[in-house]
Amino acid sequence: MLIKDGTIALDSLPSVTAYASAAGKMESEGPLGKCFDFTTQDNTLGEVSWEKSESKLQQIAFTTALSKGGFSQKDIDVMFAGDLLNQCVSSSSGAKDTNIPFVGLFGACSTMAESLALAGIFVDSKAANNAAAVTSSHFCSAERQFRFPVNYGGQRTPTAQWTATAAGCAIVSSHCKPPYIRSVTIGKINDMGVTDANNMGAAMAEAAYDTISRHLANTAQQVSDFDLILTGDLGQVGSDMLKELFKRDGVDISAVHNDCGLMLYDREKQDVHAGGSGCGCSASVLCGCILKQIEQRTLKNVLFAATGALMSPTINQQGESIPGISHAVQLSAQ
Amino acid sequence: MEMFMEYFWAFVIGGAFCLVGQLLIDLTKLTPARILVAYVVAGVVLGGCGVYEPIVEFAGAGATVPLTGFGYALAEGVKKAVAEDGLLGAFTGGFTAGAAGLTAAVVFGIIVALCFKRGDKTS
Amino acid sequence: MKMTNAEYDKLTKKASPNTKLYLTLPKAFVIGGLICCLGQALFNLYSYWGLNEMNARSVTSITLIFFSAFLTGFGLYDKIAKHGGAGTLVPITGFANSVVAPALEFKTEGFVLGTAAKMFIIAGPVIVYGIAASVIYGIILYLFQLM
């Protein structure tokens, strides 16, 4: 049911009945390395191209989630999938053998929240019994599309973020067990004129602020009602800015705020500069670690606000700024 | 001693060219590709004005190895070709002087593409 | 509270750490300087072997490009460049790296449309404007000769 201004309450409280995560080598060596269902030391995953490797990672996350939930493919009524690549190729080629109704999404790094929100809305409105939300990213496939060839010797700026090689999948079904999806807030495009493609955190912080504050206002909740407000991949720069933006409203979120981009890697040891990014970053953190904690009730009320910098190299070269977006999904243990 | 000074100045002058490049990367919004273009064009202009030649004589590889040296080589090539062939030389001199470097980059590029596995910074 | 773009830009600048110049500058200087010293050593060697100055310089370039190409192939050049910055960008080895890296990266798209077509995706502008500048210089020289 629409509350207002993009916030939708899912009155039937759909459940995330199964979830799985898959991660690459660097991610498996990070602080959350033990949380993932699947890790690999070979980021090619035996495939001939990086696009195929990413596809495979996404397939692994999806099939692992199916088997963890005891589902077979025909139980899934619709699949929402996305990634960073042009035409969402990792998702569509990953899904071509599934025979599941497919919706491809692009929300840059916000795709996990976007797909999870849509899966929740579909189940809540009885458009689907079981809906899957799947996203992935791969460092090498993103690098060659958005930046430089992998072996090119460029220096990354301190504000640059590291695209995660990871995937996550969540399957949403009708109300049965936690985590429940309580409400979602659909993001708006926020463009504050940031043109630096190496500072995605700055391009996304305003979007996260806008979506989180709208969600709180529209659902009449306070920051203190949450155990965790988890932003997508703002990294260090964007996280600092988000806190600063809330501070101007007299709200302190630092006690409950964390960021997937800061959680996935050990920033000092792994040399990822401002933190992780990419659809797979928030997907693997959510599906590898957060959903489990909600299911076990160590976390009771979580606002998952994944953020995306909708960066197009083409219009960026034309001098246009980078629009940001953030979608929020409220997950709770009861 | 003379031998040592030769390396010393190659190091200092070559390092200085790189230092200026690093300042441009860190303090301006110039992308590496733009900086390289600026270096090559600067090399042609300085070579053309006759400013670069004394630097080459003084610093040797410290002046020829940075990309300004490539620009200088292009200018030198054009100068020679124009003296021999007139206006035609303006069109042939540059590529003639740059031929060794360009061909080497193309050939080794192909060989490496054929022989090596694509890179993976993540494992 | 809604911010203006200018205020937001200020906030961005405040939150964004600056590059540590005290690290990047010395590293660029030293690594760049060492590559030039290697060039000098090669030049002296080729001169010793009897090549004239022009040829010795060309063969030095070819050798440096060869080293850079294979370091790129082994995935080592970008590891050095992470520290070297402009020290590995500005020497001819950086030019070679910018040709070889896309040649290797895009071979998954085939040897014609990948390796060959994308080879100069980074280095192309250097050649275009280097050659363009040299032609302008040549025409000016020619006009001076006529006068």
Side-chain angles (χ1 to χ4, degrees), chain A residues 25 43 47-48 50 150 155, chain B residues 22 118-123:
Chain A
K25 181 170 186 282
N43 284 350
E47 297 290 341
V48 293
W50 295 122
V150 172
Q155 236 174 359
Chain B
Q22 190 68 39
R118 65 213 149 95
D120 178 3
K121 241 176 218 173
T122 57
S123 51

Side-chain angles (χ1 to χ4, degrees), chain A residues 2-324:
Chain A
L2 177 69
I3 301 178
K4 64 175 176 189
D5 199 17
T7 302
I8 302 157
L10 308 189
D11 300 316
S12 74
L13 296 184
S15 291
V16 182
T17 40
Y19 46 87
S21 54
K25 181 170 186 282
M26 256 179 81
E27 294 68 24
S28 73
E29 290 161 356
L32 302 180
K34 292 203 166 48
C35 304
F36 305 122
D37 298 290
F38 170 90
T39 54
T40 176
Q41 296 303 302
D42 172 17
N43 284 350
T44 68
L45 287 107
E47 297 290 341
V48 293
S49 72
W50 295 122
E51 290 74 14
K52 285 187 133 183
S53 309
E54 183 180 337
S55 246
K56 190 159 182 191
L57 204 62
Q58 196 176 111
Q59 279 175 320
I60 290 169
F62 176 59
T63 49
T64 311
L66 283 183
S67 64
K68 277 174 80 179
F71 292 107
S72 77
Q73 288 199 3
K74 55 180 187 298
D75 298 325
I76 307 300
D77 301 308
V78 61
M79 178 180 199
F80 297 95
D83 56 82
L84 295 175
L85 302 184
N86 292 340
Q87 293 84 37
C88 296
V89 282
S90 317
S91 306
S92 45
S93 62
K96 70 183 171 202
D97 300 325
T98 58
N99 203 27
I100 296 171
F102 175 86
V103 182
L105 301 174
F106 182 81
C109 314
S110 74
T111 313
M112 190 64 222
E114 185 181 11
S115 57
L116 187 61
L118 288 170
I121 293 166
F122 260 60
V123 171
D124 185 57
S125 63
K126 303 204 162 49
N129 293 319
N130 299 300
V134 205
T135 65
S136 64
S137 59
H138 195 299
F139 176 84
C140 296
S141 67
E143 203 67 7
R144 74 206 301 268
Q145 179 179 312
F146 288 101
R147 296 186 187 92
F148 290 112
V150 172
N151 283 345
Y152 175 68
Q155 236 174 359
R156 306 170 75 83
T157 63
T159 56
Q161 290 175 248
W162 188 272
T163 306
T165 304
C169 172
I171 293 169
V172 183
S173 315
S174 48
H175 184 85
C176 62
K177 62 167 188 171
Y180 303 116
I181 303 179
R182 272 193 175 266
S183 50
V184 303
T185 295
I186 307 293
K188 296 177 183 173
I189 300 290
N190 284 268
D191 192 331
M192 301 303 285
V194 176
T195 51
D196 184 359
N198 290 315
N199 199 347
M200 299 288 199
M204 301 187 287
E206 171 73 15
Y209 164 75
D210 175 61
T211 300
I212 294 169
S213 47
R214 263 193 304 134
H215 188 87
L216 295 176
N218 295 346
T219 56
Q221 294 179 101
Q222 312 283 325
V223 168
S224 55
D225 295 332
F226 291 89
D227 311 294
L228 177 64
I229 293 178
L230 183 68
T231 47
D233 347 299
L234 292 176
Q236 190 61 57
V237 178
S239 296
D240 289 349
M241 288 177 70
L242 179 69
K243 284 176 205 161
E244 198 61 39
L245 289 166
F246 271 104
K247 210 181 267 173
R248 288 161 53 100
D249 293 345
V251 178
D252 182 14
I253 60 161
S254 51
V256 294
H257 173 259
N258 209 340
D259 184 79
C260 298
L262 298 175
M263 295 166 74
L264 188 60
Y265 300 107
D266 184 327
R267 282 204 309 132
E268 298 304 316
K269 283 195 200 124
Q270 295 187 297
D271 193 35
V272 295
H273 298 236
S277 74
C279 310
C281 177
S282 57
S284 60
V285 172
L286 182 80
C287 299
C289 142
I290 305 299
L291 289 172
K292 200 182 296 166
Q293 290 181 34
I294 303 172
E295 189 176 358
Q296 293 164 349
R297 294 191 164 81
T298 44
L299 288 172
K300 295 194 176 60
N301 203 12
V302 174
L303 187 62
F304 172 59
T307 53
L310 306 173
M311 208 276 283
S312 146
T314 307
I315 70 155
N316 195 241
Q317 279 168 10
Q318 292 164 357
E320 301 294 327
S321 51
I322 304 164

Side-chain angles (χ1 to χ4, degrees), chain B residues 21 34-35 49 53 56-57 62-64 70-71 87 91 97 104 112:
Chain B
R34 283 167 210 261
I35 293 169
C49 304
E53 197 165 345
V56 173
E57 272 160 24
T64 55
F70 186 66
L87 191 55
F91 285 82
V112 168

